[in-house]
Amino acid sequence: MANSVADNKRAVTNNLSTIYGRVPTIGTDKMRVTFCTDMDKSVIVYNFEKRGWTQVGPEDDWNFYWAVTQSCRTIFSVETGYRMSDNQTINHFPNHYELTRKDLLVKNIKRYRKDLEREGSLLAERGDGPGKYLHLDFIPVTFVLPADYNMFVEEYRKSPQSTWIMKPCGKSQGAGIFLINKLSKLKRWSREARNPFNPNLTKESYVISRYIDNPLLIGGKKFDLRLYVLITSFRPLKAYLFKLGFCRFCTVKYDTSIQELDNMYVHLTNVSVQKHGDEYNSLHGGKMSVQNLRLYLESTRGKSVTEKLFANISWCIVHSLKAVAPVMANDRHCFECYGYDIIIDNKLKPWLIEVNASPSLTSTTVNDRILKYKLIDNIISVVVPPDGVPDVRWNKCPSPEAMGNFELLLDEELAAQDERDNPTGKFRNQSNKWK
Amino acid sequence: MESTKEIELQKTANKLTDDIQSMTNYKNLYNEIQRLVASRAVRKEDFKNTLVDALKSNGLETELRNTVFHWARTQGPLQREPEPLMPMLEADLSYLKRAQIQWERRIQKSLNSMCNELNVPLARIRFNMDKDELAEKWDELSTYDIDLSQYRPLYAPKDFLEVLFMVRDPSFKKQPGEPNWEFSHIQIRVKTLSQLRAMYPELSHGVPLLGVNPHMTAMGNYLNLEAERTALGERVLASNHAPIAQEFLKRGAPRAIRGKLWSLVLGSIVKDNDEEYYEELKSLVLQYDIMVDKLIIKDVQLTASNDDQYFVFEDVLYKTMLCFSRDSEVLAPVTTDRSAGGQVIHAVLQGKPATLENTLVFPPSGVIPFHGFTMYATPFCYLYDNPCTMYYTFRAFYLRYWFRLHTVSSHEQGIVALCLLFERLLQCHEPQLWAHFRNIHIQPIKVVFKWLMRGFSGHLPPEQLLYLWDLILGYDSLEIVALLAVTILSFRKENLMQVNTLHNIEAVLADLSSLKVMPLLQLVLLKE
């Protein structure tokens, strides 16, 4: 009986949606939740089905769309003219590339620093040397090529000993990356790139960054951190950090000698690179949990330096987000989970390397599968209101239980509220830690 | 009466003086005291008093006390036996010793047959090329490329369990209908739950412990319990008293000072002569090529290298385990212990005449590794960055506790006693589970044996494991390991009751990553 009523409702919604191309708002208590995904990943589908949601196609009326960035772009493009209803949510912001393209991230951070400086903010305090900031130097010195070539050369000449890393702006997973330690090598590359037989290369822009050549090593090996950061709103900023991040280790001992400069198994931590190496172990996949890293650091280096490191990691995540917040299209239907790549140097200073809009959901090991399953589960429970149906009118303040393994990095709305309630700042809670 | 006591005391004092002279840090200590005596702090006219004062004020008295503490630990049993209410006749447990001797012979036999099969000698002088390669790759032994495909671990925990199942008290008559797999007929005295409650008062009285809730409110002006414990722990370290450090561990150690506390309790703080000795061990590895090396490397590869918690420490583990095999200071404690079988192999270097100088104890440590042996060392990688520091604490831990977990003995801390303790506790306090296991014809010990034999290493996440080992050190006993095994079964009882094959039972118990050791143990010891 109950079923047939629901089915009738369903039929009605289907009809309406074919007419208007969107899901009408109906009594949420009876609403059946639908999802859509164009990623063939069992962790995603399994998590939705566990909630009793029904899979539909992208043309049908969906409530929750886990999309690849391309489909997302189509939905938001003017030509498509798709209008989302209040009960629809999607996993990317329309212009996420402001954060996730290597060149734009750098551009936005540079602009953010200048803006703060203009405001006379203490955060923008200068360090030693031109272009150096005391607190906001969480990304390695970076230039966009070919545009900033002259600026790069100027910087290069200051310390010709250092190594630089070249990355194509639009590629991921370590593709097209190489290290250079001589200007001549860069010149040679640019000549070859302009080769008429290889016209594609000329169009591509690159970023060149000072290579962090003193990474923290454990067991003699280099690693980076993969952290997951969930954003449910950019203005006000609402950001959550997933506690179950992991370290990705290189399979080969770290070695800065010139002979090894081209050996990417030494330098790049990307699993997509490392898994082709002879030393790759498919049982652990070169991954160690951040919790274990913390245990190791606290035990061997002490508690206060370890706490400072992790506080600095949060700091650099928060400021990278603040840097892009003004330019982000803050669509209320959107949320996004970013994959942050961070390298820690041997002075325990974290460096933001890059941000990924579609962090890999492929599981390389059993633990990886468990982790990614929890990640998706926790994301859904943070972004969906307590009644279980996506709704943009919700205030996006999940309960502590709903946060699962996420911890609040910053909620500007809550922080502002706190400030109103406790103007003296005596009883500030977590939410305004980074203000 | 008085005089016998005095004579006893005199005897102990004499033994102590003799033994201290042969301890490794004697020379250091003696030099320090000589220096002190020559200093102005000690006056000839009031020699005794000024010397004692000077010893106190510069910390040497504490050093001496710690030395006596560590000496006393090597002498006595791990804990004093509680006096039995009824003086019962000590059971004849010599059959356990015989079982151990047989077991040792069996291991040696399979070692020899593996050598024959692979056509390799037990020991030889390492070829120069090999020696150079090994020396060059010493810090990166994961790249030391040798073919080990033919090598297999000599035995695994399940093989050792089979050996334990075969142990029979010759005087015991089986009652009809009684299953023949219980350890209950072995007459080692093990504690009851209420005796354990008395033994672990900090846990059974609900005293605030680290590892339960770090944000728990603290005494005094500290932010939380962790801050309080850290401040107290720093003071314990500053006092440098080993027994106080041991006492401190009973409530769990803060991460940042755990390594130092453990070294203090075990007397494994590295001194100059220890570093020299460690270098010597390395040179012995380079000099001799012994068959056990391959087994060690194979074991690291099979265990730590595949483990997401330990793979990053692979290289330091190779070093540690190889040095351990050459450590003749391990030999005496493990072979002369009352629980040892005392069977030692002597190997003549290949191609040399069988003279005394060409003969070595094989392996020099007397310990033949088995599958998972490396796991006794892995957790220390989280505590110490320096391989030498790690080595000595691992070694001290092994000599105090771990070697009893792979030998058949009547020792109250040995694996047989732990199995028995596990069985008794399960039977008494989880009769329903016990009956369930019996109905489905599965020995409960079978599903927990690997936990017991490895002290849970590799089965619990490192952080939880370190808390468990805090308790082992703090109470100087392995009984907590058996108790934890029972507690886990009890905790997962509902799920266990629903399955009836070994495979499914193992599946229920496979993932221990969500367990919190301290609250679990507190819960089981608290209630009554």
Side-chain angles (χ1 to χ4, degrees):
Chain A
M1 203 38 207
N3 277 343
S4 70
V5 171
D7 284 347
N8 283 340
K9 272 246 150 72
R10 190 72 211 146
V12 174
T13 53
N14 268 336
N15 282 338
L16 287 176
S17 64
T18 39
I19 299 168
Y20 300 109
R22 62 195 209 106
V23 182
T25 324
I26 54 166
T28 49
D29 53 334
K30 297 235 175 63
M31 188 159 159
R32 200 165 68 154
V33 180
T34 55
F35 74 91
C36 172
T37 180
D38 42 26
M39 291 178 79
D40 188 23
K41 287 282 184 295
S42 59
V43 272
I44 297 178
V45 176
Y46 185 81
N47 260 299
F48 289 137
E49 285 178 346
K50 191 192 72 168
R51 287 172 155 73
W53 297 2
T54 316
Q55 183 159 19
V56 295
E59 305 301 325
D60 303 315
D61 45 302
W62 43 265
N63 297 115
F64 201 117
Y65 195 168
W66 198 287
V68 296
T69 49
Q70 185 53 49
S71 329
C72 200
R73 216 166 298 151
T74 312
I75 285 174
F76 284 111
S77 78
V78 188
E79 296 95 76
T80 320
Y82 191 91
R83 278 186 59 205
M84 276 197 269
S85 79
D86 283 353
N87 292 107
Q88 285 187 297
T89 193
I90 190 161
N91 65 325
H92 293 288
F93 283 93
N95 58 341
H96 60 82
Y97 45 79
E98 294 285 349
L99 181 65
T100 58
R101 260 189 70 118
K102 299 170 179 79
D103 49 346
L104 294 177
L105 172 67
V106 172
K107 196 188 89 188
N108 283 316
I109 287 176
K110 285 181 178 173
R111 197 208 57 245
Y112 175 64
R113 292 196 287 219
K114 288 216 180 76
D115 289 350
L116 284 174
E117 210 168 5
R118 209 171 298 128
E119 291 167 19
S121 166
L122 289 174
L123 290 177
E125 197 179 329
R126 289 287 190 148
D128 301 333
K132 298 279 192 298
Y133 289 79
L134 207 53
H135 311 293
L136 294 174
D137 69 332
F138 52 83
I139 54 165
V141 176
T142 299
F143 300 97
V144 181
L145 294 184
D148 300 337
Y149 183 75
N150 291 336
M151 279 156 75
F152 162 70
V153 172
E154 197 181 316
E155 184 68 28
Y156 176 88
R157 296 232 156 94
K158 283 183 208 156
S159 49
Q161 302 328 321
S162 45
T163 304
W164 295 77
I165 185 163
M166 283 280 282
K167 299 176 184 177
C169 294
K171 285 187 182 150
S172 64
Q173 303 196 322
I177 294 181
F178 58 93
L179 298 182
I180 63 161
N181 61 339
K182 280 196 191 73
L183 209 51
S184 59
K185 194 172 165 190
L186 181 62
K187 283 179 181 151
R188 190 170 66 236
W189 168 81
S190 96
R191 262 199 313 280
E192 280 164 14
R194 246 182 274 119
N195 187 329
F197 297 109
N198 204 349
N200 290 335
L201 279 173
T202 51
K203 286 195 194 117
E204 204 164 19
S205 62
Y206 272 70
V207 290
I208 188 161
S209 313
R210 172 161 289 146
Y211 185 60
I212 307 294
D213 58 5
N214 61 331
L216 175 67
L217 305 179
I218 298 182
K221 291 181 179 116
K222 177 181 168 174
F223 66 96
D224 75 352
L225 300 186
R226 165 49 65 88
L227 301 175
Y228 298 96
V229 176
L230 173 63
I231 307 300
T232 55
S233 158
F234 273 98
R235 294 188 304 276
L237 187 59
K238 289 171 184 278
Y240 305 84
L241 174 64
F242 193 58
K243 284 182 259 183
L244 310 180
F246 52 87
C247 312
R248 303 180 297 185
F249 279 82
C250 290
T251 47
V252 181
K253 282 246 159 170
Y254 188 65
D255 184 345
T256 47
S257 63
I258 293 166
Q259 303 90 282
E260 296 294 345
L261 211 56
D262 295 325
N263 183 351
M264 288 303 134
Y265 296 124
V266 173
H267 297 284
L268 296 191
T269 54
N270 307 60
V271 173
S272 46
V273 173
Q274 294 292 339
K275 72 178 171 201
H276 300 297
D278 295 337
E279 305 295 328
Y280 183 77
N281 179 308
S282 58
L283 288 173
H284 53 68
K287 292 174 182 174
M288 180 172 107
S289 74
V290 167
Q291 284 126 316
N292 282 342
L293 170 71
R294 198 170 173 139
L295 172 67
Y296 169 77
L297 288 177
E298 270 188 43
S299 305
T300 55
R301 307 279 181 119
K303 189 174 170 69
S304 62
V305 289
T306 308
E307 276 183 344
K308 188 162 165 254
L309 165 67
F310 281 89
N312 284 340
I313 289 173
S314 298
W315 161 277
C316 86
I317 293 171
V318 165
H319 285 283
S320 68
L321 293 167
K322 286 187 162 194
V324 299
V327 293
M328 277 290 182
N330 190 41
D331 193 310
R332 287 181 63 79
H333 300 93
C334 305
F335 70 91
E336 196 154 21
C337 178
Y338 300 101
Y340 268 73
D341 292 347
I342 285 168
I343 286 184
I344 302 169
D345 71 20
N346 58 12
K347 297 185 186 84
L348 295 192
K349 177 184 164 63
W351 295 92
L352 173 57
I353 301 303
E354 65 177 84
V355 185
N356 296 278
S358 309
S360 164
L361 294 173
T362 310
S363 309
T364 50
T365 67
V366 178
N367 283 342
D368 215 29
R369 183 155 48 243
I370 296 170
L371 180 143
K372 278 160 185 168
Y373 170 78
K374 285 184 185 161
L375 175 67
I376 306 286
D377 177 67
N378 292 176
I379 289 174
I380 299 171
S381 81
V382 170
V383 303
V384 172
D387 69 1
V389 183
D391 190 342
V392 296
R393 291 158 302 183
W394 179 49
N395 68 358
K396 296 191 171 181
C397 291
S399 68
E401 297 76 51
M403 300 217 314
N405 291 294
F406 277 107
E407 60 185 357
L408 186 63
L409 270 178
L410 175 67
D411 184 326
E412 286 180 332
E413 195 177 15
L414 286 181
Q417 205 176 317
D418 267 7
E419 209 131 319
R420 280 196 302 277
D421 297 347
N422 296 302
T424 52
K426 249 187 186 164
F427 302 102
R428 290 187 171 184
N429 73 18
Q430 281 293 102
S431 54
N432 62 359
K433 211 159 73 182
W434 306 108
K435 273 223 73 160
Chain B
M1 203 55 191
E2 268 305 297
S3 64
T4 35
K5 222 176 189 178
E6 255 169 47
I7 291 167
E8 278 302 305
L9 209 63
Q10 186 62 39
K11 250 193 205 160
T12 311
N14 286 342
K15 184 162 167 42
L16 176 62
T17 355
D18 286 349
D19 285 359
I20 279 191
Q21 287 182 29
S22 59
M23 283 170 83
T24 50
N25 66 337
Y26 174 74
K27 225 174 100 186
N28 270 337
L29 216 50
Y30 190 75
N31 287 343
E32 287 292 313
I33 295 173
Q34 272 194 322
R35 207 166 296 148
L36 193 67
V37 169
S39 77
R40 229 176 288 163
V42 181
R43 291 192 315 273
K44 212 162 132 193
E45 49 274 27
D46 189 12
F47 185 75
K48 189 175 172 188
N49 287 326
T50 51
L51 177 62
V52 169
D53 286 346
L55 283 173
K56 271 188 190 149
S57 63
N58 85 340
L60 268 176
E61 192 222 11
T62 314
E63 286 291 332
L64 277 171
R65 279 178 185 275
N66 286 344
T67 309
V68 175
F69 170 76
H70 295 127
W71 171 81
R73 274 163 60 106
T74 58
Q75 299 303 306
L78 286 185
Q79 347 148 5
R80 210 167 293 121
E81 273 292 279
E83 289 299 317
L85 291 175
M86 297 248 286
M88 69 173 193
L89 285 172
E90 273 310 311
D92 176 18
L93 294 171
S94 57
Y95 62 95
L96 287 171
K97 180 105 177 176
R98 286 198 296 278
Q100 171 63 14
I101 294 171
Q102 264 176 15
W103 172 230
E104 286 177 14
R105 287 197 184 132
R106 223 180 100 188
I107 297 170
Q108 292 167 359
K109 216 169 134 191
S110 26
L111 190 68
N112 280 320
S113 59
M114 192 183 282
C115 282
N116 290 335
E117 211 177 291
L118 302 175
N119 197 22
V120 291
L122 273 178
R124 65 183 165 206
I125 301 284
R126 201 177 286 282
F127 299 133
N128 278 336
M129 241 174 63
D130 189 25
K131 188 176 174 178
D132 292 345
E133 189 188 355
L134 203 59
E136 187 196 329
K137 293 182 170 168
W138 184 249
D139 290 323
E140 203 181 346
L141 287 171
S142 48
T143 61
Y144 175 61
D145 219 359
I146 44 169
D147 178 20
L148 296 176
S149 53
Q150 301 297 309
Y151 287 82
R152 298 173 314 277
L154 279 177
Y155 66 97
K158 64 174 186 342
D159 304 311
F160 184 49
L161 182 60
E162 287 302 319
V163 171
L164 297 184
F165 280 146
M166 303 300 283
V167 172
R168 282 284 167 274
D169 183 343
S171 64
F172 175 72
K173 297 282 176 290
K174 200 178 91 150
Q175 301 297 311
E178 201 168 352
N180 58 359
W181 44 265
E182 287 173 21
F183 290 96
S184 56
H185 73 281
I186 297 174
Q187 300 198 29
I188 302 176
R189 219 173 299 136
V190 295
K191 294 197 176 66
T192 62
L193 190 57
S194 59
Q195 283 170 327
L196 288 173
R197 285 187 175 124
M199 179 183 164
Y200 294 96
E202 284 78 5
L203 295 167
S204 61
H205 294 170
V207 171
L209 305 172
L210 273 190
V212 175
N213 168 14
H215 305 297
M216 195 186 279
T217 48
M219 313 249 289
N221 289 327
Y222 297 107
L223 187 65
N224 53 36
L225 183 65
E226 198 186 359
E228 178 198 325
R229 297 283 297 156
T230 307
L232 184 61
E234 302 278 4
R235 280 171 55 203
V236 168
L237 284 176
S239 84
N240 200 31
H241 278 284
I244 298 180
Q246 185 187 335
E247 196 60 28
F248 179 82
L249 288 179
K250 293 182 175 175
R251 291 173 58 196
R255 293 170 167 189
I257 54 174
R258 179 179 277 129
K260 287 184 183 141
L261 288 164
W262 285 20
S263 303
L264 181 56
V265 174
L266 290 163
S268 55
I269 299 168
V270 175
K271 297 174 202 73
D272 292 347
N273 55 331
D274 295 325
E275 273 170 40
E276 285 162 26
Y277 183 71
Y278 182 73
E279 283 304 309
E280 256 170 63
L281 295 177
K282 175 186 167 183
S283 69
L284 288 172
V285 175
L286 297 180
Q287 192 178 351
Y288 298 106
D289 175 7
I290 65 176
M291 194 271 196
V292 160
D293 295 347
K294 313 282 195 312
L295 295 177
I296 288 169
I297 294 173
K298 183 82 179 187
D299 191 51
V300 176
Q301 286 176 356
L302 288 175
T303 57
S305 305
N306 287 329
D307 189 319
D308 65 340
Q309 305 172 335
Y310 299 114
F311 72 93
V312 290
F313 305 115
E314 183 184 10
D315 286 327
V316 73
L317 287 164
Y318 288 117
K319 278 199 269 200
T320 304
M321 302 319 280
L322 288 172
C323 284
F324 182 81
S325 71
R326 301 302 195 277
D327 195 339
S328 52
E329 286 180 10
V330 172
L331 181 70
V334 300
T335 48
T336 60
D337 186 86
R338 69 183 161 99
S339 58
Q343 305 294 298
V344 174
I345 320 179
H346 293 273
V348 177
L349 292 168
Q350 190 193 29
K352 303 269 178 177
T355 59
L356 198 59
E357 55 269 31
N358 289 331
T359 306
L360 53 96
V361 174
F362 181 90
S365 65
V367 183
I368 296 170
F370 52 89
H371 184 250
F373 186 69
T374 312
M375 299 313 281
Y376 289 143
T378 49
F380 297 98
C381 297
Y382 275 94
L383 296 188
Y384 307 102
D385 245 350
N386 181 328
C388 183
T389 321
M390 179 202 148
Y391 179 77
Y392 282 103
T393 303
F394 153 63
R395 189 183 80 168
F397 223 109
Y398 177 83
L399 289 178
R400 186 80 187 147
Y401 308 104
W402 300 145
F403 85 93
R404 299 189 195 286
L405 296 183
H406 60 88
T407 44
V408 191
S409 82
S410 59
H411 198 283
E412 312 76 45
Q413 295 281 317
I415 189 77
V416 180
L418 293 186
C419 289
L420 189 58
L421 177 62
F422 164 81
E423 238 179 47
R424 291 262 170 88
L425 290 173
L426 190 71
Q427 192 172 9
C428 289
H429 300 279
E430 288 296 348
Q432 225 186 329
L433 253 183
W434 179 262
H436 178 63
F437 274 107
R438 184 176 275 207
N439 290 340
I440 58 178
H441 307 290
I442 291 169
Q443 301 96 316
I445 193 72
K446 222 173 187 167
V447 297
V448 302
F449 188 73
K450 55 185 187 298
W451 298 344
L452 302 184
M453 193 172 164
R454 290 178 178 176
F456 276 96
S457 178
H459 297 287
L460 286 171
E463 152 130 75
Q464 297 304 316
L465 186 76
L466 294 174
Y467 278 126
L468 179 68
W469 291 15
D470 278 345
L471 297 179
I472 292 176
L473 268 179
Y475 294 95
D476 196 25
S477 167
L478 288 169
E479 283 150 308
I480 201 80
V481 174
L483 180 65
L484 181 62
V486 179
T487 310
I488 292 171
L489 295 197
S490 166
F491 194 61
R492 301 228 164 134
K493 181 175 162 184
E494 254 173 66
N495 294 333
L496 289 172
M497 294 299 287
Q498 285 166 21
V499 292
N500 41 30
T501 63
L502 183 61
H503 178 80
N504 288 340
I505 284 187
E506 281 174 345
V508 170
L509 300 172
D511 180 18
L512 304 184
S513 64
S514 58
L515 293 184
K516 298 277 177 280
V517 166
M518 295 298 238
L520 265 183
L521 289 170
Q522 200 175 36
L523 204 67
V524 73
L525 287 169
L526 202 59
K527 63 180 176 199
E528 190 163 33

